[in-house]
Amino acid sequence: MDLRLAVYQLASSNQLDAAQTRQLQELAGFEREPDGLSWWLPRGVAVLGAALQGLGLIFWVAANWSEFSRTGRFALIQAIFVASCLGACAAPRARAPLLLIAMLAIGGLFAYFGQTYQTGADPWQLFAVWAALALPLCLVARSDVLWTPWMLVLATGVTLWIKAHAQRSWSIHSEDLGIFFTGWLALLLACAFVSPLLARWTGAKAWPLRLGLLLTMIMVTGSGMTALFNSSIATPYWAALVLLLAVAALLLMPHFFDVFGLSAVALGINTLIISGMVSRLFSGNDGDEIASLLMIGLVAAVLLALTVQGILWRTRRELA
């Protein structure tokens, strides 16, 4: 129940006057500063300011792009990168927001380089180089402000790499299995890199890992469903299901427990299980479709209820 609503209900049920209601609100802590506000508010404002500054620079450069020569454009982007890095060295408190601008400048520099010279490189190579060059900035900043977009850049590069090397976008062949498994492994290694195992060296907290698990779940579940409905081989489907079950078992352990990550992986497991039922029940097209739909809905509801109860039970044990 909401604390403020509970206080109002308590004051109404006991017929408290205005002075007594104010005293009750003071006891509930309504007049006090929220816990942690002095820590995260200036940091949040700094990150928002850095994002707005970077966006403003992008808009300004876009509005005046035709006024710059090719050399001037490269010099401008590189100057933004150098100025951000120097500012991060000179002002440690603003290190994370300034290095975020530097990280975005790296991506802009490589994008403009590829657009200007038409090197013929695949898009995934841009994101791979971007992630590699941004890694030292993330290690220096030791903040989720950089690790979270770094995870997004890396996942985009892995997805584009799979698309560039697989034969088809919507069908998985036996010769493509190694490509998909390698992409899954790359994302899982990235998740392990920003996990609590290496937090002592990386400084990463919860959100990079959560984003990585969410993106991994989307990629693995999507590939498994693609193999199930648009391919003659079922190996990726079973591999995806086993992989997500293994990740869920790992997240249930006390040292790695995270409600957000576990919920995302559980969603992927439920999706794969229901997709397997749909594929099996409707593959022959000779049964009662209404009964099949009712069975799928019933199983999905039971599976969702059991998943929610299991996550709540594990959360209560963690808080106990």
Side-chain angles (χ1 to χ4, degrees):
M1 178 181 292
D2 182 77
L3 179 59
R4 188 174 296 272
L5 180 60
V7 168
Y8 290 149
Q9 289 179 348
L10 183 61
S12 176
S13 61
N14 291 275
Q15 298 181 353
L16 302 181
D17 56 22
Q20 293 172 330
T21 302
R22 283 196 299 270
Q23 292 178 358
L24 184 61
Q25 291 175 353
E26 291 177 359
L27 290 175
F30 291 168
E31 305 299 329
R32 294 196 303 268
E33 179 181 292
D35 296 336
L37 180 64
S38 60
W39 185 90
W40 61 260
L41 181 60
R43 288 165 175 79
V45 171
V47 172
L48 179 61
L52 292 176
Q53 182 180 0
L55 187 62
L57 286 172
I58 292 173
F59 287 163
W60 180 80
V61 171
N64 299 276
W65 195 246
S66 59
E67 305 297 329
F68 295 99
S69 63
R70 178 180 299 178
T71 304
R73 294 168 183 172
F74 277 111
L76 177 62
I77 300 175
Q78 294 176 23
I80 294 173
F81 172 77
V82 173
S84 300
C85 292
L86 293 178
C89 295
R93 291 188 177 181
R95 180 174 298 166
L98 290 173
L99 290 181
L100 175 61
I101 296 177
M103 181 180 178
L104 297 176
I106 292 175
L109 179 62
F110 277 96
Y112 181 62
F113 182 87
Q115 187 181 45
T116 302
Y117 293 104
Q118 299 295 326
T119 59
D122 291 329
W124 71 266
Q125 294 175 327
L126 165 65
F127 286 92
V129 176
W130 186 3
L133 293 179
L135 185 58
L137 301 180
C138 298
L139 293 173
V140 170
R142 296 176 58 84
S143 172
D144 287 3
V145 174
L146 270 77
W147 282 118
T148 303
W150 179 83
M151 179 62 73
L152 182 61
V153 170
L154 181 66
T156 304
V158 172
T159 304
L160 293 174
W161 179 81
I162 293 176
K163 182 178 180 181
H165 290 83
Q167 291 190 1
R168 296 181 184 178
S169 300
W170 297 103
S171 181
I172 301 178
H173 299 273
S174 57
E175 54 269 23
D176 297 333
L177 294 181
I179 297 173
F180 282 90
F181 293 163
T182 302
W184 298 354
L185 180 61
L187 276 185
L188 287 177
L189 289 177
C191 291
F193 186 70
V194 297
S195 69
L197 284 175
L198 301 177
R200 179 181 177 184
W201 294 276
T202 63
K205 301 298 189 298
W207 285 108
L209 178 60
R210 291 174 177 177
L211 178 61
L213 290 173
L214 179 62
L215 295 175
T216 302
M217 184 275 295
I218 293 174
M219 175 181 290
V220 173
T221 304
S223 301
M225 293 178 61
T226 299
L228 186 65
F229 293 107
N230 297 287
S231 177
S232 59
I233 56 175
T235 303
Y237 170 78
W238 293 109
L241 185 58
V242 171
L243 180 62
L244 291 183
L245 287 172
V247 174
L250 188 64
L251 291 174
L252 286 171
M253 299 175 63
H255 192 61
F256 299 100
F257 177 73
D258 183 77
V259 176
F260 184 95
L262 183 60
S263 301
V265 174
L267 176 62
I269 294 173
N270 289 357
T271 302
L272 287 176
I273 292 176
I274 298 303
S275 298
M277 286 191 59
V278 172
S279 176
R280 180 60 62 91
L281 292 175
F282 290 95
S283 59
N285 292 326
D286 54 356
D288 189 349
E289 296 181 355
I290 301 298
S292 299
L293 288 174
L294 290 175
M295 181 180 298
I296 292 171
L298 179 61
V299 172
V302 172
L303 192 61
L304 178 61
L306 292 175
T307 301
V308 171
Q309 290 299 319
I311 294 176
L312 289 176
W313 171 79
R314 183 63 186 85
T315 304
R316 295 190 187 101
R317 285 196 58 186
E318 189 70 20
L319 296 176

